[in-house]
Amino acid sequence: MPETVEDIEFRLLLEAVLRKYHYDFRGYSIASLRRRLRQARERLGCRTFSQLQDCVLHDSSVFPTLLSYLTVQVSELFRDPAYFRAVREQVVPYLRTYPSLKVWVAGCSTGEEVYSLAILFREEGVEDRTMIYGTDINPEALRKAEAGVYDLDRIPLFTENHRKSGGKSSLSDYYTAAYGGAVFDKSLRRRAVFSDHSLAADEVFAEVQFVSCRNVLIYFDRELQNRAIGLFHDSLSHKGFLGLGARESLRFTEHAESFEEFDREERIYRKRGDR
Ligand SMILES: C[S@@+](CC[C@H](N)C(=O)[O-])C[C@H]1O[C@@H](n2cnc3c(N)ncnc32)[C@H](O)[C@@H]1O
């Protein structure tokens, strides 16, 4: 298909974002990125992607808004409870055997996945030996993750998810209601660190025993998926675990042979010992 003017403008906009703001979206899957950029264009009152590019290049206060369209910030506590049940019942018995444990939540958004794992590790008695690194490219999401305050109206869903994940206590043990929000217990963050890291541009993050990366790879094209999984592979210790969740898979990626299936339904993999 011949390139349309909008195709050209779209590519130039991504190039401008990379050159001025050092965020690389060129390896994201095009259809959904373009749809979201059209929404951003409308919201910012621009007629074309070229106008949007002009606006973003000359007014850096616009970039955070654009970034909020470029990155999808949807998350929940214990989102997809069956995944957390599998982590709790299948993975933790192995993790328990390590004297110290590092976990990397890649693309942690506003922190819900990190708090879910912190609660789960506390309930399973491995909190004290565990460090959780939550990384993302969206600084606003990382700020919210640090704060650990969520809207009170989300609590019924979070409570139900926690229960379905095999939660051993009441979710209300972990937060207090204040200022119209649910403020999660600071002690859950004692062993959590949030930081900026891009799966598209940065190198291996740290040596970890478990990587959880859910609802992130779906936004990447095949090449970028390969890059991200390569980073996970290189950062995992011998026989470490990789959890992708039911929507994503290692199939069709370059690294499929380097992992064995550990939980087929929840797409939890284990790094092969010989690779
Ligand atoms: C839909 S959220 C997933 C949040 C959480 N993992 C979950 O499943 O609930 C996707 C997250 O991936 C982040 N993301 C997008 N591109 C990224 C990249 N190149 N490196 C790291 N994180 C990225 C976005 O900023 C966003 O916070």
Side-chain angles (χ1 to χ4, degrees):
M1 265 213 303
E3 219 181 10
T4 64
V5 169
E6 200 196 60
D7 291 335
I8 298 168
E9 291 180 293
F10 171 74
R11 292 276 169 216
L12 291 173
L13 173 59
L14 297 186
E15 196 66 40
V17 165
L18 174 63
R19 295 215 192 168
K20 174 134 169 112
Y21 298 99
H22 314 291
Y23 281 87
D24 192 353
F25 288 96
R26 294 171 306 170
Y28 285 55
S29 59
I30 291 176
S32 77
L33 197 58
R34 195 190 309 223
R35 195 174 51 245
R36 283 179 275 121
L37 280 178
R38 284 189 182 131
Q39 290 164 0
R41 188 176 68 189
E42 201 164 304
R43 152 93 184 273
L44 292 163
C46 300
R47 203 171 44 79
T48 61
F49 285 147
S50 299
Q51 271 187 9
L52 182 56
Q53 178 185 315
D54 185 57
C55 177
V56 161
L57 282 177
H58 296 285
D59 180 357
S60 47
S61 71
V62 166
F63 185 64
T65 307
L66 187 67
L67 190 62
S68 72
Y69 283 90
L70 286 164
T71 61
V72 176
Q73 302 301 325
V74 178
S75 196
E76 280 166 23
L77 226 73
F78 293 95
R79 180 181 192 182
D80 307 317
Y83 172 80
F84 288 95
R85 188 179 272 276
V87 171
R88 193 189 285 277
E89 293 174 358
Q90 317 290 338
V91 181
V92 167
Y94 287 88
L95 299 182
R96 219 188 278 282
T97 63
Y98 294 105
S100 77
L101 193 60
K102 290 193 191 124
V103 177
W104 177 16
V105 180
C108 69
S109 187
T110 36
E112 288 89 332
E113 196 171 338
V114 170
Y115 288 95
S116 307
L117 288 173
I119 291 170
L120 190 155
F121 290 139
R122 181 174 295 183
E123 291 178 342
E124 299 304 323
V126 288
E127 178 187 28
D128 288 346
R129 72 186 85 165
T130 308
M131 281 299 300
I132 310 178
Y133 301 101
T135 62
D136 205 279
I137 54 167
N138 187 312
E140 182 56 30
L142 288 169
R143 264 194 296 279
K144 288 188 181 154
E146 284 272 356
V149 181
Y150 301 108
D151 288 345
L152 271 178
D153 59 9
R154 303 178 73 200
I155 291 295
L157 172 68
F158 291 180
T159 304
E160 181 64 3
N161 284 351
H162 172 240
R163 189 188 61 74
K164 287 186 183 154
S165 80
K168 291 188 170 158
S169 46
S170 162
L171 190 68
S172 59
D173 294 346
Y174 304 108
Y175 67 85
T176 44
Y179 316 110
V183 183
F184 277 75
D185 195 345
K186 279 199 171 49
S187 68
L188 292 170
R189 268 197 316 282
R190 215 174 32 215
R191 308 198 57 83
V193 176
F194 292 101
S195 62
D196 178 45
H197 179 276
S198 170
L199 297 167
D202 294 325
E203 294 309 317
V204 166
F205 182 70
E207 186 177 279
V208 298
Q209 285 71 44
F210 176 32
V211 174
S212 189
C213 180
R214 301 183 319 132
N215 306 298
V216 179
L217 300 180
I218 34 168
Y219 301 106
F220 294 174
D221 68 13
R222 187 56 46 77
E223 198 182 323
L224 188 50
Q225 288 180 354
N226 281 331
R227 183 186 202 278
I229 293 166
L231 288 181
F232 301 153
H233 179 267
D234 293 346
S235 66
L236 278 171
S237 61
H238 180 70
K239 302 211 104 192
F241 293 89
L242 169 63
L244 297 182
R247 280 182 215 90
E248 284 138 308
S249 146
L250 279 188
R251 261 204 311 162
F252 312 121
T253 71
E254 259 170 23
H255 304 278
E257 300 303 314
S258 307
F259 292 89
E260 62 196 55
E261 258 178 6
F262 182 77
D263 184 304
R264 180 176 294 231
E265 290 282 293
E266 297 308 321
R267 308 275 159 75
I268 299 174
Y269 300 88
R270 195 163 190 202
K271 183 172 166 173
R272 283 191 198 278
D274 52 354
R275 314 263 163 157

